């Protein structure tokens, strides 16, 4: 299956279970893999997935409503992309929280969810 990937979309948001996360916020990084058949696509944006629309939808989901769990945010983003982009067969969304409040040294914490149109 063919895919288009939007990788490393960065936003400041206030997701998390702790009060300080609600007040100060943190950086969140989103990756979205957009699966749809584009091998025979005509050179027409109306037949393709509009990346600007995808970016705007992700931005709205990340910076709009606050969630305690990034797992929940990941699901909202995946379902929104499938709803808004009828050309998509499936999406994989990763929400990275590189500054999660954990004791110790780590590179990243992220969630990943793949949904197909049939999962809707």
């Amino acid at each position: 299956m063919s895919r288009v990937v939007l990788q490393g979309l960065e936003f400041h948001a206030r997701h998390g279970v702790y009060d300080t996360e609600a007040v100060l916020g943190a950086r969140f990084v989103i990756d979205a893999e957009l699966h749809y058949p584009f091998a025979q696509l005509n050179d027409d944006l109306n037949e393709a997935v509009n990346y600007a629309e995808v970016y705007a939808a992700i931005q709205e989901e990340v910076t709009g409503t606050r969630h305690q769990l990034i797992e929940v945010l990941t699901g909202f983003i995946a379902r929104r992309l499938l709803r808004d982009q009828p050309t998509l067969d499936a999406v994989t969304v990763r929400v990275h929280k590189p500054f999660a409040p954990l004791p110790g040294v780590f590179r990243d914490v992220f969630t990943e969810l793949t949904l197909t149109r049939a999962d809707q």
Side-chain angles (χ1 to χ4, degrees):
M1 181 182 296
S2 50
R3 68 183 174 141
V4 173
V5 179
L6 281 71
Q7 186 172 19
L9 309 180
E10 297 189 20
F11 305 97
H12 184 268
R14 302 179 189 284
H15 307 289
V17 297
Y18 299 112
D19 292 339
T20 55
E21 293 176 295
V23 173
L24 300 176
R27 180 169 59 107
F28 292 83
V29 182
I30 313 301
D31 303 326
E33 297 182 12
L34 313 172
H35 300 268
Y36 74 104
F38 61 78
Q40 302 301 320
L41 189 67
N42 291 318
D43 198 14
D44 182 352
L45 180 59
N46 293 321
E47 296 178 19
V49 172
N50 185 319
Y51 314 147
E53 290 177 4
V54 169
Y55 181 94
I58 292 170
Q59 181 179 34
E60 187 175 305
E61 291 296 330
V62 175
T63 62
T65 303
R66 179 175 183 268
H67 301 283
Q68 290 190 7
L69 303 175
I70 61 173
E71 293 91 327
V72 172
L73 174 61
T74 306
F76 270 88
I77 294 169
R79 286 188 295 278
R80 167 84 180 264
L81 296 179
L82 286 171
R83 184 178 67 241
D84 288 1
Q85 297 292 328
T87 306
L88 292 177
D89 292 331
V91 296
T92 298
V93 175
R94 283 180 290 282
V95 174
H96 301 262
K97 190 173 181 179
F99 298 105
L102 295 174
V105 178
F106 65 96
R107 181 170 303 183
D108 194 10
V109 172
F110 69 92
T111 57
E112 178 175 297
L113 177 63
T114 299
L115 291 179
T116 68
R117 184 134 324 266
D119 295 327
Q120 283 261 0

